[in-house]
Amino acid sequence: MPFLELRNVSKRFGDNTVIDSLDLAIPKGELVTLLGPSGCGKTTVLRLVAGLETPSDGQIFIDGEDVTHLSIQQRDICMVFQSYALFPHMSLGENIGYGLKMLGTPKSEIKRRVGEALELVDLAGYENRFVDQISGGQQQRVALARALILKPKVLLFDEPLSNLDANLRRSMRDKIRELQTQFNITSLYVTHDQSEAFAVSDTVLVMNKGHIMQMGAPQTLYRQPASRFMAGFMGDANIFPARVSGDTVDVLGYRLPRPENLALSQGECALGVRPEAISLHAEGAESQRCTVQQVVYMGPQYEVTVDWHGQPVLLQINATRMQPAPGDTFFLEIHPWGTFALENV
């Protein structure tokens, strides 16, 4: 039985359909991330689950209960916001214990649970500090502790790390994943950041224009995208015209093992190749010859564009192993584990 379920849910604002007949079932204890371009509907789904919006059609269930028309206070959910939403006039301990206070929890119990929550987010002893006395990363941990202390049935995250710098985002996403797993809380997470989605999620759901494009484990979505949209959205991809024949695929005269997601046994298809699956060598067959067009230094790696039989190809080269320059000639090698097929395109 799914713990959080949306059945045939639609949301319209006037003539604009933002969510169109969406079905979603999340098992208990799983963290599902909604990922997609701006305006795809992912935040609207989160607001529908939270009770901040009411579906135009369909039903929403939490732990088997129909909550479609219940308020946010009646749903036993908590939300961690992008803006933290902390009270500046309250101490951190008061912020974290605010929900328990509203529920009429005894002061001694609030104090004990606030102390435990602060320890969970590595802020033990900070209960008497105020919001303007701590960093952005610490504020986000306080917001997380405030949600966890209530032990909600469902935990919602609305772009929680977008205000943090790169190093803090990395540490916070690890902490979120650690605590979500520890407490086995069913969670719905919204982000536009692919690497963040991959790092925290059991399952990633990619949306576009109010529809689910593909849903699955991060590795599956990256290695076996179901469409050109998915291939490009989940990362850079080179798409080549190809012909499949039995167990092999021919790409511009280069033969490769047939990708595992290709059902077609004969005929035309398109072959996707991730940039990191292409390497350059000093020697090779004529079908592999290519010429470097552009090199962009990215720190640990170069992003290199080569001309291969008149087609631009993007690849990534470890910056400690090779320093290619425009005009250099190499022979490319495509590694089969980085390929995927797109049929009927």
Side-chain angles (χ1 to χ4, degrees):
M1 289 289 294
F3 192 80
L4 171 61
E5 185 177 13
L6 281 70
R7 295 182 189 171
N8 198 34
V9 169
S10 297
K11 180 61 180 177
R12 293 181 292 274
F13 295 97
D15 295 331
N16 183 27
T17 300
V18 179
I19 304 297
D20 190 9
S21 303
L22 186 142
D23 290 303
L24 175 61
I26 302 177
K28 182 174 175 58
E30 188 165 301
L31 191 155
V32 172
T33 294
L34 302 179
L35 184 66
S38 297
C40 71
K42 56 186 184 292
T43 299
T44 301
V45 171
L46 197 76
R47 291 177 61 83
L48 287 167
V49 173
L52 299 173
E53 300 284 355
T54 302
S56 302
D57 300 297
Q59 296 171 286
I60 300 172
F61 295 84
I62 295 177
D63 195 15
E65 179 186 5
D66 187 344
V67 300
T68 308
H69 299 289
L70 297 184
S71 68
I72 186 171
Q73 293 83 3
Q74 297 171 304
R75 295 193 183 198
D76 196 6
I77 62 101
C78 283
M79 181 178 270
V80 179
F81 295 94
Q82 175 182 348
S83 60
Y84 317 139
L86 301 177
F87 299 115
H89 63 285
M90 292 184 182
S91 68
L92 303 188
E94 290 170 333
N95 266 284
I96 294 171
Y98 182 77
L100 293 177
K101 181 180 178 181
M102 292 299 98
L103 293 173
T105 306
K107 289 183 179 180
S108 58
E109 175 74 2
I110 293 175
K111 183 177 180 180
R112 179 183 66 81
R113 288 173 63 175
V114 166
E116 292 175 350
L118 283 167
E119 285 188 17
L120 285 172
V121 295
D122 303 321
L123 289 175
Y126 279 58
E127 56 267 24
N128 294 320
R129 297 196 188 187
F130 286 81
V131 175
D132 61 359
Q133 297 175 319
I134 60 175
S135 68
Q138 290 170 327
Q139 289 179 41
Q140 189 58 280
R141 280 187 274 162
V142 171
L144 181 59
R146 182 179 58 185
L148 290 172
I149 199 171
L150 294 173
K151 300 178 181 177
K153 287 183 176 180
V154 176
L155 187 54
L156 306 177
F157 295 90
D158 184 15
E159 300 271 11
L161 308 184
S162 60
N163 289 338
L164 305 179
D165 62 38
N167 289 334
L168 280 175
R169 281 201 302 272
R170 186 177 296 110
S171 63
M172 273 304 302
R173 74 190 187 197
D174 293 344
K175 175 59 70 174
I176 286 172
R177 186 59 176 154
E178 173 193 333
L179 293 175
Q180 185 272 332
T181 302
Q182 178 181 338
F183 285 91
N184 196 37
I185 300 176
T186 307
S187 304
L188 196 60
Y189 193 108
V190 165
T191 183
H192 65 277
D193 187 307
Q194 177 189 314
S195 60
E196 185 181 321
F198 281 9
V200 302
S201 309
D202 296 301
T203 300
V204 175
L205 185 159
V206 178
M207 296 185 64
N208 190 38
K209 298 179 180 178
H211 294 274
I212 296 175
M213 304 303 292
Q214 192 173 352
M215 181 176 179
Q219 298 94 329
T220 300
L221 269 57
Y222 187 75
R223 296 192 61 191
Q224 298 181 1
S227 65
R228 280 184 180 266
F229 170 84
M230 286 297 302
F233 185 78
M234 300 308 295
D236 292 314
N238 300 288
I239 309 295
F240 302 106
R243 173 171 286 276
V244 58
S245 179
D247 293 331
T248 63
V249 176
D250 185 287
V251 181
L252 302 177
Y254 189 119
R255 298 197 72 81
L256 289 158
R258 178 169 137 165
E260 59 187 42
N261 72 322
L262 179 60
L264 189 69
S265 59
Q266 297 285 336
E268 303 291 334
C269 70
L271 186 79
V273 182
R274 296 296 183 191
E276 66 273 17
I278 305 174
S279 57
L280 298 179
H281 303 275
E283 298 179 347
E286 188 59 31
S287 63
Q288 299 168 264
R289 184 187 296 273
C290 63
T291 303
V292 176
Q293 292 182 313
Q294 184 179 41
V295 179
V296 179
Y297 180 63
M298 303 295 290
Q301 65 190 26
Y302 291 104
E303 286 192 353
V304 181
T305 303
V306 302
D307 178 277
W308 184 41
H309 300 296
Q311 180 162 337
V313 178
L314 178 67
L315 56 142
Q316 297 170 349
I317 301 295
N318 188 310
T320 64
R321 298 179 182 176
M322 181 183 291
Q323 290 79 43
D328 289 350
T329 297
F330 292 98
F331 297 85
L332 61 77
E333 179 183 6
I334 298 174
H335 302 276
W337 49 259
T339 66
F340 54 88
L342 297 170
E343 297 183 38
N344 302 319
V345 289

